Amino acid sequence: MDSKARQSPSVTPSQTSLRISQRDPSKNRLSIQPIIAFYIFVIPNLLAAFFSPIQDCDEVFNYWEPTHYLNRGYGLQTWEYSPEFSIRSWAYIVIHAIVGKFGSLFSSDSRFEFYFIRAALAVTCAYCETRMFSTISRTLNPRIGVVFMIVMITSPGVFHASVAYLPSSFAMYTSMLGTAAFLDWRFGSKTAQGIMWFGLGSTIGWPFASVLIVPFIFEEALRASITQEGIESLRRCLDGTTLQVAIDTFFYHKLVAVPWQIVSYNVFSSNITGPEIFGTEPWDFYIRNLLLNFNVWFLLAILAGPALALQYIFRGHSMSKFTLLRTAISIIPFYMWLFIFSIQAHKEERFMYPAYPFLGLNAAIALNVILTYVGSSNPTGLVGKVPASVKLALMSVGIILAVDIGLLRTLGSIQAYQAPMQIYASLQASDIARPGEVVCLGKEWYRFPSSYFLPKGMRVKFIKSAFDGLLPGEFNEAKVGFGVFAGTWLIPAGMNDQNVADPGKYIDVAHCSFLVDSFFPAHATSPEEPEYILDSKTWEPVQCASFLDAPESSLLARVLWIPDLGLIPERYRRRWGEYCLLRRRGIS
């Protein structure tokens, strides 16, 4: 350590570590300038904005539809937005509605507004990724930063999460900014800034994301520096929470703290009304899911702790205690998040989104430890006797394989599930649809990409299917005598928090002008879900697209993109069905 640094009390350990890193050319040769990093991050994010299928119907019905209501005057309403329950924040919606309204200045097409919001999310995510990448490179190791970048831009999980209109994605953004603030000690500690970002992610985004800040608060407590900055950070969080409560109070017409409503529902509800009524999964659900979406990187993320411990035990002289503490603190959030959510009965893929950057960081730290060991040139050790070219080849093959698997899965999901965002395009033609006509959804209700894909004046309705839960209703469109956005505070009929079906949400199929349906030849039919596509006397196809028949396709075909070529063995090929927009015959 620099003797001047040891003597000066104004120099913090991280600043000393930073100086050493800056003087080490072997580390700086991997550095990437922030602006270049931003371009690298934003390209896959923008591709996701325009091509990523919507993964979760909650994204559509709980976020895209309320936004469509604010900006376009019509939208579907879930029970969560009923003032009786009020467990969704309008403050979060307003942020995106403002972005969408700005986008509508350039085009009146509602689809343009949809993709404009998505593009804004892509750019926002890229900025947050760049901040975290730059800080990791500067404070931990440039090589760790580069690997973190590779994980983030090639993993299918991040591809979808980066542009998902979900509070968990918002929490992912703010977690990256908060982590960057805690790790970055240039020009002094940024504790207040770090707490602010995690606080905003927990209030405006998802309350449970506050768990991720615990390890960083622990580190700050060890440094005894949290007291002074803590007051400032709490003030910032309080300002944000106050604004959120004010916005939600305006829309719900009652005083409501949505973050508390969310926690109360998820933690203190009974078995009759809690989240478990929407389905439960086994304890290993997230392990399987993360293996699919991150493959080798997930395994490395799990190994980060043991790898770091072994490095300290056998090569402790190569790192300071401060560096060890800082790195150890950085890997804890992922372990905490995975454990906490694995023991919950109700599991969904989007619940992992806030932890994705920490998974990438853990994987990068683990690989850095491995590369440091493999790169040893000590002739007395076994690894030192292996030619450098052989070691380089082996490590390169492993990294390239992880990248290729991720890209093939991303491409495979786009090809397999893009149909619901394609078939509605025909409705935009002037000779196809007219205002006042109805598009009906039966068994395909949960794949509806939102009202943004319908022409102005068209509405979506539901017809009976095998689904026996509660479907969304519609925001009240009353205006005269009710003020602005009356649908946000007028209590809708037929809503409940027990997922009990409401017959009032259905219409008779005879009233449908258009209908969206799917057909898979190998699947059995039921009286509740007839094959409308085959009823050529009543319906004619307007536009159809291929849709993966997952149950009939092999595991490999479901997981990865496989080209439809004759040289591919039959058992490994993908099986396809049809996803169609149908029009009732006789409509001129």
Side-chain angles (χ1 to χ4, degrees):
M1 183 181 292
D2 192 312
S3 60
K4 184 177 180 181
R6 286 201 307 268
Q7 295 169 3
S8 175
S10 63
V11 179
T12 66
S14 64
Q15 290 169 327
T16 304
S17 176
L18 177 60
R19 291 178 181 178
I20 294 173
S21 176
Q22 288 174 335
R23 289 198 301 267
D24 189 348
S26 67
K27 293 182 179 180
N28 280 333
R29 67 185 179 187
L30 289 174
S31 296
I32 299 175
Q33 293 300 314
I35 186 62
I36 302 300
F38 174 78
Y39 290 138
I40 294 173
F41 282 119
V42 81
I43 290 172
N45 289 358
L46 287 174
L47 289 174
F50 293 104
F51 297 106
S52 174
I54 295 177
Q55 297 276 88
D56 194 321
C57 65
D58 270 4
E59 179 180 349
V60 171
F61 297 124
N62 275 323
Y63 304 102
W64 284 111
E65 286 299 309
T67 306
H68 191 273
Y69 169 71
L70 292 187
N71 285 357
R72 305 263 169 177
Y74 165 77
L76 298 175
Q77 180 182 26
T78 62
W79 68 270
E80 291 97 327
Y81 282 93
S82 171
E84 289 182 273
F85 308 105
S86 55
I87 64 171
R88 292 289 180 262
S89 176
W90 282 103
Y92 177 67
I93 300 298
V94 165
I95 295 171
H96 297 77
I98 292 173
V99 174
K101 184 60 78 172
F102 178 74
S104 66
L105 297 176
F106 303 97
S107 173
S108 60
D109 190 327
S110 59
R111 292 173 301 171
F112 180 88
E113 182 178 324
F114 174 90
Y115 285 110
F116 188 86
I117 293 174
R118 264 195 156 191
L121 293 174
V123 173
T124 301
C125 184
Y127 170 76
C128 298
E129 289 171 311
T130 303
R131 283 287 304 276
M132 187 166 174
F133 160 80
S134 299
T135 305
I136 290 170
S137 299
R138 206 168 45 241
T139 62
L140 296 180
N141 189 307
R143 187 163 65 189
I144 294 177
V146 170
V147 177
F148 170 81
M149 173 184 284
I150 293 172
V151 176
M152 297 297 284
I153 66 175
T154 63
S155 297
V158 179
F159 182 81
H160 296 297
S162 63
V163 296
Y165 184 1
L166 289 166
S168 51
S169 283
F170 182 81
M172 181 181 76
Y173 303 160
T174 56
S175 294
M176 286 189 278
L177 294 176
T179 301
F182 275 113
L183 292 178
D184 186 5
W185 283 6
R186 288 186 308 168
F187 314 115
S189 173
K190 298 179 177 62
T191 301
Q193 188 181 121
I195 295 177
M196 179 196 71
W197 285 120
F198 277 105
L200 289 176
S202 303
T203 52
I204 296 177
W206 202 29
F208 303 104
S210 59
V211 171
L212 294 168
I213 198 177
V214 173
F216 298 105
I217 293 295
F218 174 75
E219 182 191 13
E220 296 298 315
L222 289 180
R223 294 194 300 111
S225 66
I226 192 172
T227 303
Q228 182 178 358
E229 295 186 76
I231 298 175
E232 172 64 18
S233 61
L234 289 175
R235 186 192 65 78
R236 295 182 185 181
C237 292
L238 184 60
D239 289 345
T241 303
T242 301
L243 179 60
Q244 178 187 22
V245 170
I247 293 173
D248 289 332
T249 298
F250 168 79
F251 282 103
Y252 283 120
H253 278 212
K254 67 175 186 178
L255 183 64
V256 58
V258 171
W260 166 249
Q261 295 285 92
I262 295 173
V263 172
S264 177
Y265 170 75
N266 284 277
V267 177
F268 302 113
S269 295
S270 66
N271 292 332
I272 299 175
T273 61
E276 289 79 8
I277 65 175
F278 297 101
T280 60
E281 299 290 345
W283 69 271
D284 63 341
F285 173 82
Y286 290 125
I287 294 176
R288 290 182 281 113
N289 182 269
L290 293 173
L291 276 171
L292 286 174
N293 285 320
F294 290 90
N295 58 80
V296 175
W297 305 121
F298 170 64
L299 298 177
L300 285 171
I302 293 295
L303 292 174
L308 188 63
L310 289 173
Q311 183 186 45
Y312 180 72
I313 292 171
F314 295 104
R315 299 194 175 192
H317 62 277
S318 63
M319 66 169 65
S320 68
K321 289 184 178 180
F322 175 81
T323 303
L324 175 66
L325 174 64
R326 169 132 293 200
T327 309
I329 290 295
S330 301
I331 68 174
I332 291 175
F334 174 68
Y335 290 122
M336 289 179 57
W337 193 267
L338 181 60
F339 172 75
I340 291 171
F341 281 87
S342 291
I343 63 176
Q344 308 303 313
H346 179 61
K347 300 178 178 69
E348 297 188 39
E349 181 177 331
R350 70 178 188 273
F351 294 171
M352 280 291 113
Y353 288 1
Y356 281 177
F358 297 100
L359 185 155
L361 177 57
N362 279 31
I365 290 172
L367 185 57
N368 181 64
V369 172
I370 294 172
L371 290 174
T372 300
Y373 174 72
V374 172
S376 173
S377 58
N378 185 358
T380 61
L382 179 62
V383 175
K385 297 177 181 179
V386 179
S389 58
V390 174
K391 292 188 286 187
L392 177 62
L394 290 175
M395 297 306 299
S396 298
V397 167
I399 294 174
I400 292 172
L401 181 63
V403 169
D404 287 347
I405 292 175
L407 295 178
L408 286 174
R409 176 159 175 77
T410 299
L411 182 60
S413 67
I414 293 173
Q415 182 198 40
Y417 306 115
Q418 188 71 12
M421 299 180 73
Q422 294 175 331
I423 63 167
Y424 291 89
S426 297
L427 292 173
Q428 306 297 327
S430 58
D431 60 335
I432 296 293
R434 295 170 298 188
E437 291 185 320
V438 173
V439 179
C440 289
L441 305 173
K443 64 175 180 285
E444 292 299 323
W445 67 270
Y446 62 98
R447 293 193 178 109
F448 177 55
S450 83
S451 297
Y452 278 101
F453 287 78
L454 301 179
K456 184 178 181 180
M458 289 198 74
R459 297 289 189 267
V460 66
K461 302 288 183 179
F462 299 106
I463 58 175
K464 196 72 181 73
S465 67
F467 177 71
D468 60 355
L470 180 65
L471 288 168
E474 299 175 11
F475 283 104
N476 195 309
E477 298 176 49
K479 290 183 175 63
V480 179
F482 291 95
V484 295
F485 306 126
T488 65
W489 61 270
L490 291 174
I491 297 178
M495 295 296 189
N496 63 80
D497 60 352
Q498 300 176 31
N499 200 27
V500 176
D502 172 33
K505 301 292 191 297
Y506 301 100
I507 69 168
D508 190 278
V509 69
H511 299 296
C512 302
S513 309
F514 295 85
L515 190 149
V516 174
D517 196 31
S518 60
F519 172 64
F520 300 97
H523 294 198
T525 60
S526 69
E528 292 179 310
E529 297 180 346
E531 303 291 3
Y532 295 104
I533 291 178
L534 301 182
D535 183 8
S536 58
K537 291 183 179 180
T538 307
W539 303 98
E540 61 177 335
V542 177
Q543 184 174 353
C544 293
S546 297
F547 195 90
L548 182 69
D549 188 348
E552 295 299 315
S553 300
S554 67
L555 175 62
L556 187 64
R558 294 197 303 270
V559 171
L560 303 177
W561 174 75
I562 296 180
D564 294 323
L565 300 176
L567 56 87
I568 304 295
E570 185 70 23
R571 60 178 177 171
Y572 294 123
R573 294 184 191 177
R574 293 184 148 193
R575 301 290 185 267
W576 298 96
E578 279 191 302
Y579 200 92
C580 294
L581 172 67
L582 308 174
R583 178 170 60 178
R584 183 177 294 278
R585 290 190 179 276
I587 295 180
S588 58

